[in-house]
């Protein structure tokens, strides 16, 4: 009879335990969990604090009692694994409540310790009104504080998914919230122009956003907190009733490191495709491991529940004698930020640049469903693809309804090795309440295909905003009413696209012409009209809908 010991519950560990039991009814399976709860919904924690999720028990995926009854797993919560003796195949354990220590043997050991919030080394981080959010006890502390103190102002340090979700939920509780972010944009997984659209929306909800800003120190003052901020303008002190640190997470891999297992430069436990560490008897899974990026093949640490669940299943397979492999991570993720949804999958433009991988990009704007059916909402789609064959490398979408399903389609396409030309051929479900006859994914494929086929040459938002007006002419082909309502760039020539064939002589043919429209379609049409007439012309990718967030 084999003996499998699992360190840590939640997504990776609990999944591994359940899978191992399904594969072997006779195995001895022990799960150690340092905390009180073996499996809970991490991603739901901000919404309980905000009151969207009203029942605390709804956050518990399963309880120790029900899990034990269903899977016959020996669960030992409030028990911390302190060390691993790989030669003896033993772990040292400590009862958190009593401090009593003991050892437990194993045949196979699965590590699933997760990630821990990064706590910057700043003064005041341990004050009672300063919080991090990782687990149920953290959630309870924050909610009790908000319920009892009714804070009027809050600072959220960190503008990633958790930080922005917490900002939204604090605003929903009536708390005036300021978000600060160390980098020069919010939502670092997104490219800057996509994140800028989210930032515009966040600010429209009354939330203050300060990028390129760090927290230098916190001091208690008359029941509130004086926070010292630092940015390009120098130091500044602001006063808040509550401070939440959402400055990212890092693998909780000290147990593996102290056992002498190979560690990645990214800080995670290095594993192979079978989730085995450098010790074949020890496997690891979830937020604590470094796996391979599916697109680039480089090591990466991705703290996401979906990959952790799959890795837990694969680790259990291999611990139980069934070979199973993990084929890499796309990092597919999505967040609801107030009334906008932001999602990404695969590699971003900045990661492709950093890795030296050649790419091209396209930007499109499409409705969530047919425009003539009520309630359609726009979404901005950016896809990244190989310049030689159009193979998909990554995608990002920001918008309203329908962002999730288009992201899922694109994530599936990347995993399948599809190209932008394959996107054109996808036959996706269509009815007016759900999509258009040409789905937004199809449209993205058509535009990218046009770029690769040479049917259009694009300039992005940076090139347009940095245009040399001595040699470049920006031609706005929208209607006068659109320009009056939404604005335009300085020093543009305005000729509506429907008048371009009769008025093109007004354009200075000695200059490069950058054709600007609302979302890109009329820019493409204007490009074709002028290209046929011998102009040096480019279309502005994504149109004014992309540019307006970057001005």
């Amino acid at each position: 009879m084999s003996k499998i010991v699992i360190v840590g519950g939640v997504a990776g560990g609990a999944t591994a335990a359940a899978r191992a039991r399904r594969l072997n009814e006779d195995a001895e399976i022990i799960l150690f969990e340092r905390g009180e709860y073996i499996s809970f919904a991490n991603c739901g924690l901000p919404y309980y604090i905000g009151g969207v999720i009203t029942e605390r028990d709804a956050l518990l995926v399963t309880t120790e009692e029900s899990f034990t009854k269903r899977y016959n797993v020996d669960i030992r919560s409030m028990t911390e694994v302190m060390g691993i003796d790989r030669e003896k195949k033993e772990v040292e354990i400590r009862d958190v409540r009593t401090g009593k220590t003991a050892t437990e043997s194993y045949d196979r050991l699965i590590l699933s310790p997760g990630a821990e919030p990064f706590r910057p080394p700043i003064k005041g981080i341990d004050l009672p009104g300063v919080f991090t959010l990782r687990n149920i006890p953290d959630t309870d502390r924050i909610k009790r504080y908000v319920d009892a103190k009714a804070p009027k102002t809050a600072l959220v340090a960190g503008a990633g998914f958790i930080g922005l979700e917490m900002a939204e939920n604090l605003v929903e509780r009536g708390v005036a919230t300021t978000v600060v972010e160390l980098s020069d944009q919010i939502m670092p997984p997104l490219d800057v122009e996509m994140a800028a659209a989210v930032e515009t929306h966040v600010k429209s909800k009354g939330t203050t956003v300060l990028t390129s800003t760090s927290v230098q120190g916190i001091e208690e003052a008359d029941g509130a907190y004086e926070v010292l901020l630092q940015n390009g303008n120098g130091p500044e002190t602001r006063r808040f009733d509550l401070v939440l640190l959402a400055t990212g997470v890092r693998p909780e891999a000290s147990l593996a490191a102290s056992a002498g297992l190979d560690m990645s430069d990214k800080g995670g436990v290095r594993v192979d495709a079978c989730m085995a560490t450098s010790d074949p008897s020890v496997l690891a899974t979830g937020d604590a491991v470094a796996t391979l990026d599916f697109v680039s093949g480089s090591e990466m640490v991705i703290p996401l529940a979906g990959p952790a669940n799959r890795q837990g299943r694969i680790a259990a397979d291999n611990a139980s004698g069934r070979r199973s492999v993990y084929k890499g991570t796309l990092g597919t993720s999505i967040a609801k930020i107030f009334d906008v949804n932001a999602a990404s999958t695969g590699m971003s433009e900045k990661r492709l640049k950093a890795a030296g991988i050649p790419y091209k990009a396209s930007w499109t704007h499409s409705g969530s469903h047919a425009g003539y059916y009520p309630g359609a909402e726009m979404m901005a789609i950016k896809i990244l693809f190989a310049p030689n064959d159009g193979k998909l490398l990554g995608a990002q979408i920001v918008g309203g309804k329908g962002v999730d399903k288009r992201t899922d389609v694109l994530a599936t396409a990347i995993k399948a090795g599809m190209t932008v030309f394959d996107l054109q051929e996808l036959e996706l479900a269509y009815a007016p309440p759900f999509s258009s006859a040409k789905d937004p994914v199809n449209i993205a494929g058509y535009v990218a295909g046009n770029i690769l086929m040479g049917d259009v040459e694009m300039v992005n938002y940076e090139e347009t905003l940095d245009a040399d007006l001595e040699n470049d002419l920006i031609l706005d082909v929208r209607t006068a009413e659109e320009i009056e309502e939404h604005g335009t760039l300085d020093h543009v020539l305005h000729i509506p696209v429907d008048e371009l064939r009769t008025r093109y002589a007004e354009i200075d043919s000695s200059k490069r012409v950058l054709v600007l429209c609302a979302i890109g379609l009329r820019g493409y049409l204007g490009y074709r009209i002028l290209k046929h007439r011998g102009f040096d012309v480019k279309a502005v990718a994504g149109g004014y809908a992309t540019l307006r967030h970057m001005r």
Side-chain angles (χ1 to χ4, degrees), residues 291-299 347:
T291 56
L292 297 185
D293 179 90
F294 181 82
V295 176
S296 69
S298 60
E299 279 190 328
M347 296 193 75

Side-chain angles (χ1 to χ4, degrees), residues 170-225:
L170 287 169
V171 170
E172 290 296 322
R173 292 289 301 265
V175 183
T177 302
T178 296
V179 178
V180 300
E181 169 58 44
L182 182 61
S183 70
D184 61 358
Q185 66 168 85
I186 67 171
M187 300 195 80
L190 298 183
D191 288 321
V192 62
E193 78 281 8
M194 304 299 284
V198 181
E199 182 175 334
T200 298
H201 180 72
V202 170
K203 289 178 176 177
S204 75
K205 296 296 184 178
T207 301
T208 300
V209 178
L210 304 173
T211 54
S212 301
T213 302
S214 63
V215 176
Q216 296 293 307
I218 308 168
E219 290 188 359
E220 193 168 10
D222 299 324
Y225 299 92

Side-chain angles (χ1 to χ4, degrees), residues 360 385-390 420-421 447-455:
K360 285 188 176 292
F385 48 94
N388 56 340
D389 59 5
V420 298
F421 301 106
V447 171
N450 285 341
I451 294 171
L452 288 179
M453 296 296 290
D455 292 334

Side-chain angles (χ1 to χ4, degrees), residues 65-105:
E65 180 182 3
S66 62
F67 196 90
T68 299
K69 186 174 182 180
R70 176 162 294 183
Y71 293 107
N72 188 28
V73 172
D74 180 1
I75 296 176
R76 304 182 195 177
S77 59
M78 303 299 289
T79 304
E80 183 174 12
V81 176
M82 305 296 294
I84 304 169
D85 187 328
R86 290 163 48 200
E87 289 189 8
K88 293 182 178 179
K89 287 193 171 183
E90 288 181 348
V91 293
E92 179 188 357
I93 59 175
R94 180 180 69 90
D95 188 309
V96 173
R97 290 160 295 200
T98 66
K100 183 179 178 181
T101 61
T103 59
E104 189 70 53
S105 65

